[in-house]
Amino acid sequence: MRYHREAVVERALGVLDVYGLADLTMRRLGTELGVQPSALYHHFATKQLLLAAVADEILARGPHGPRPEHWDDRVALVCTELRDAMLAYRDGADVVATSYSFGLGAAAPYDDLVAALADGGLDPALVPTAARTLLHFVFGHVTDEQTHLQASSAGAIDDDPWPSSDFAAGLGIVLDGIRLANRSGIEKHTP
């Protein structure tokens, strides 16, 4: 049976959510779809390109509310929506962060952050670094949350899931730093 690209991504999301990133292999995905793994390469030349499509789908399925007018409210919403999208899938942070880092996908949050920061009148030299810093905070925070939850659920650590998150407080600290850097004229070096 032939599958469309969307069906392959859909099944890959299911495998990711049930088994995790380590077990999302072309072989397992082929077995799930009832095809040889080589048939999947018709749609995705590499596993990394498949994961990029999965990352983009995780983001597309995440929440997308109306954008506030003020730049820092927009930034907070983009970061919160990114967090919620990644938390919705097992190992979602690893998939999205890796795809972004490889430059293969998951670029929409960065683009949204750059637009919000630029609209806020931030120094253009600061905008790319500020956007990446925000992404690094969100990726790291969600990875920490997911790792703790999965380890706790699997009995790998003797700890209950955390009752609450300090995500909003940490995001506020990062935003305060961006405001301060912009007011102080601190130049950030971009790669």
Side-chain angles (χ1 to χ4, degrees):
M1 170 178 263
R2 290 186 56 117
Y3 285 93
H4 294 286
R5 180 181 173 93
E6 296 80 19
V8 174
V9 171
E10 178 72 29
R11 189 59 62 97
L13 276 168
V15 171
L16 175 70
D17 219 21
V18 172
Y19 300 104
L21 181 57
D23 289 326
L24 176 54
T25 63
M26 297 302 250
R27 181 179 306 261
R28 180 181 290 272
L29 187 55
T31 299
E32 291 277 328
L33 291 167
V35 299
Q36 291 296 316
S38 60
L40 300 175
Y41 291 102
H42 171 74
H43 298 292
F44 301 99
T46 66
K47 181 180 175 185
Q48 289 73 26
L49 291 174
L50 168 66
L51 291 176
V54 169
D56 286 338
E57 187 63 23
I58 287 171
L59 295 176
R61 291 182 180 193
H64 300 285
R67 296 294 184 233
E69 197 169 313
H70 201 264
W71 74 269
D72 51 357
D73 293 334
R74 281 176 46 202
V75 165
L77 181 64
V78 169
C79 290
T80 301
E81 288 177 348
L82 173 58
R83 174 182 180 259
D84 292 347
M86 293 188 299
L87 283 174
Y89 292 92
R90 181 176 177 178
D91 295 330
D94 284 342
V95 172
V96 173
T98 300
S99 179
Y100 172 78
S101 294
F102 287 178
L104 298 174
Y110 174 80
D111 295 341
D112 289 346
L113 290 170
V114 165
L117 293 164
D119 288 351
L122 269 68
D123 180 343
L126 179 63
V127 168
T129 302
R132 283 191 304 274
T133 299
L134 287 158
L135 286 181
H136 296 159
F137 168 74
V138 178
F139 291 156
H141 199 283
V142 177
T143 298
D144 185 49
E145 287 181 280
Q146 286 185 322
T147 301
H148 185 271
L149 177 64
Q150 291 171 15
S152 176
S153 297
I157 59 174
D158 189 23
D159 196 11
D160 292 327
W162 294 324
S164 64
S165 173
D166 61 356
F167 177 80
L171 181 57
I173 292 168
V174 175
L175 281 169
D176 287 345
I178 291 169
R179 286 185 204 97
L180 179 63
N182 191 56
R183 280 195 300 270
S184 302
I186 299 171
E187 294 242 353
K188 301 291 183 186
H189 297 285
T190 57

